[in-house]
Each structure stands twice: as structure tokens, then as C-alpha cells.
Amino acid sequence: MLAIIGGTGLYDLPGLQVTERLSGDTPFGAPSGDIVRGRLHAHELLFIARHGAGHRLLPHEVNYRANVFALKRAGATRLLGFSAVGSLALEVAPGALAMPEQYVDWTRGSRERTFFGGGVAAHVSTARPVSAGLVAAVQAAAQRAGTAVARGLTYACVEGPRLGTQAESHLLRQLGCHLVGMTNVPEVFLAREAQLAYATVGLVTDYDCWLEDPAQHVSVGAIFERYGQTLATARRVLDELLRAPLPEPEAESRQALASALLTPDAALDEAQRAWLSVLRA
């Protein structure tokens, strides 16, 4: 089943025939809000708004573990996120849709970034953290919708909530990053730990602040002005995606824990076995 994580401005899915709302905590705390289950075209879907109703959670306040765990517990096998991003590459212009396939974690370590620890040891490979099949499916849907999606990009995740300095913007460019945002880490890595095929659609709102022209520098006003226009395009692409069969998740996603767990089952307590069984499913 496909789960959608809606970012800024994407707080619901128009046309979704809601069949159930799932609430309640997880072993990792409370998610951002209810999980909505429903049908759109031929697909059963799950949906959660990353920042909660009314956009009340800043990026560092989102309980990414609870969101991913709740979606996996509800039956997700694939996870497609949507988020606003800044561009660090001239060819990825504001207004475009862009799908990263690599990540650089530039957060400060204050976010809970793994399900493991506390007596459960695992080291999951994230060499290729994104589902190439899901990216290709979104790219094909975009072409059918008459637009394009830039792919093969590297996303730098910064802590926020402040917008970055020009020196930071230049540094991330030197690291080979094409996009910058505040929300995809640890989401992408938790999805791999939960054995979910993950991809994200970035809605490019600005050139961050690496260009010399101050008029091109990121601001909240500019983000929301352009984001609304780009969001309409992203919704069309999502609608087109859901009119076709979805690719099967890759084995490297769905079997990520097969050789990653170090702690034997006999050393786990009942609560650990319970939440680990959800990730392993």
C-alpha cells in the first residue's frame, strides 16, 4: 500500500474516499496527526500531514519515528513524501519538481533518527536510500501530466527552522548538493529501517541564497507564493500516478533488516519484539 506524507500546503488529498481515520500513539510517541485511510482511483492509500493540522510543527518538532511507524503499522509498503525545497543548482529552477536520490545529513543531532538502540542493535544500509522504481513511476506520471521532474539529485537536510546563510548555501553546493530542505532526514532513513520503499517529490520554491542577487534569496513570503503554484502541478502528477499500477518495492527496501539486526530475538523483551515485528512485516 502507498502512504503519502504531505508537506507544506498538502494537508489533505482531494478526491480521497476516506474509509477510516487511525489515531493513537506508537511505541515512539504520537504522530503528527491522524492517519487517513481511503481510496483514490484504483488505489488504497494512507495519508498523514507531516506538520500536523494547521502546520503547527516545525521541522525539528516533527516526530518522524512515530509518523513512519504509524504508517507501517497501518499497512504501508511504499512511502511518497512531498516537501518544499530550495535549489542549489541553476538548472533546477524555482517552480520545478525535483526528486532527490541521495542525501547529506546536515542536521545537528537533536532529532530522533533511528528506531534502534536501547537494547536493540541494527545497522541498516542506506547506500541507495531511495526507491528508483517509485522515482521512475513519478517521472512517468509527470510526463503524462505534461510536466517534468528533475531526478538524480542530492538533497542536503539542514536543521532549521531558520533559513540558511549564504556561506552555508555555498558550502552545501561545494559538497555536491543540488537541493536543500529541512524535513527529509531522518524520514528517508527511518523508512529504510521500516522496510518501506521511499521517495520524495521536492517542490522547488527558490534558489536558497547562494546567488548574489538579493531578490533571488529565499524568504517565507516567496516560498508560499511559488509553492502554491507548484503544488497544483504536484497534485496533477500525483493524480496521474494513481491512475496506473505502482511498481513493486525493491528487495533492498523490503528486506533491509534481513542482515542488519545484530541483537538475537532471545535477548529482546516483549515490547521490543512487538514493535520490531511491525518493522519486519
Side-chain angles (χ1 to χ4, degrees):
M1 190 189 317
L2 177 66
I4 305 292
I5 295 183
T8 302
L10 189 60
Y11 308 120
D12 57 27
L13 292 179
L16 182 68
Q17 299 174 354
V18 177
T19 58
E20 189 177 12
R21 290 184 179 273
L22 305 171
S23 59
D25 285 357
T26 76
F28 305 95
S32 298
D34 290 351
I35 304 282
V36 178
R37 186 195 302 271
R39 295 194 68 84
L40 187 55
H41 302 311
H43 294 281
E44 185 177 14
L45 299 176
L46 299 167
F47 177 84
I48 190 171
R50 184 186 288 115
H51 297 282
H55 202 116
R56 58 187 174 79
L57 298 172
L58 287 167
H60 68 283
E61 296 177 315
V62 173
N63 190 335
Y64 297 94
R65 292 196 303 175
N67 286 352
V68 172
F69 186 89
L71 291 168
K72 180 64 185 289
R73 185 174 60 185
T77 57
R78 311 170 185 85
L79 200 165
L80 181 64
F82 289 82
S83 56
V85 296
S87 173
L88 300 170
L90 196 62
E91 65 272 17
V92 184
L97 299 180
M99 299 191 74
E101 295 183 65
Q102 284 292 332
Y103 285 89
V104 171
D105 181 0
W106 208 250
T107 61
R108 294 294 182 266
S110 61
R111 308 178 185 199
E112 295 288 351
R113 61 193 60 218
T114 180
F115 291 112
F116 299 106
V120 186
H123 298 281
V124 173
S125 172
T126 59
R128 295 186 297 183
V130 167
S131 167
L134 192 51
V135 173
V138 174
Q139 185 180 44
Q143 291 174 346
R144 296 194 300 271
T147 189
V149 172
R151 60 176 296 184
L153 308 175
T154 297
Y155 175 119
C157 191
V158 297
E159 188 66 44
R162 68 172 176 84
L163 303 174
T165 69
Q166 196 169 54
E168 289 168 331
S169 194
H170 282 302
L171 177 60
L172 295 175
R173 279 170 47 82
Q174 290 173 18
L175 290 175
C177 301
H178 307 93
L179 305 171
V180 60
M182 300 180 189
T183 59
N184 279 196
V185 174
E187 188 176 273
V188 56
F189 303 131
L190 292 167
R192 178 56 57 89
E193 289 186 347
Q195 301 194 127
L196 296 169
Y198 181 90
T200 191
V201 179
L203 284 69
V204 181
T205 59
D206 54 80
Y207 276 122
D208 199 49
C209 60
W210 58 276
L211 292 172
E212 290 303 320
D213 181 3
Q216 295 284 355
H217 292 177
V218 58
S219 68
V220 171
I223 286 174
F224 278 95
E225 180 181 357
R226 182 167 281 117
Y227 192 85
Q229 302 165 3
T230 312
L231 184 58
T233 302
R235 286 185 184 275
R236 290 198 307 273
V237 171
L238 178 59
D239 186 75
E240 192 64 44
L241 175 71
L242 297 175
R243 292 181 183 275
L246 295 172
E248 288 298 318
E250 294 91 344
E252 65 182 322
S253 298
R254 296 292 290 135
Q255 299 173 18
L257 296 181
S259 60
L261 283 163
L262 301 178
T263 308
D265 284 353
L268 304 176
D269 62 31
E270 185 176 348
Q272 290 168 334
R273 289 193 187 95
W275 63 255
L276 191 53
S277 70
V278 173
L279 301 189
R280 283 170 155 171

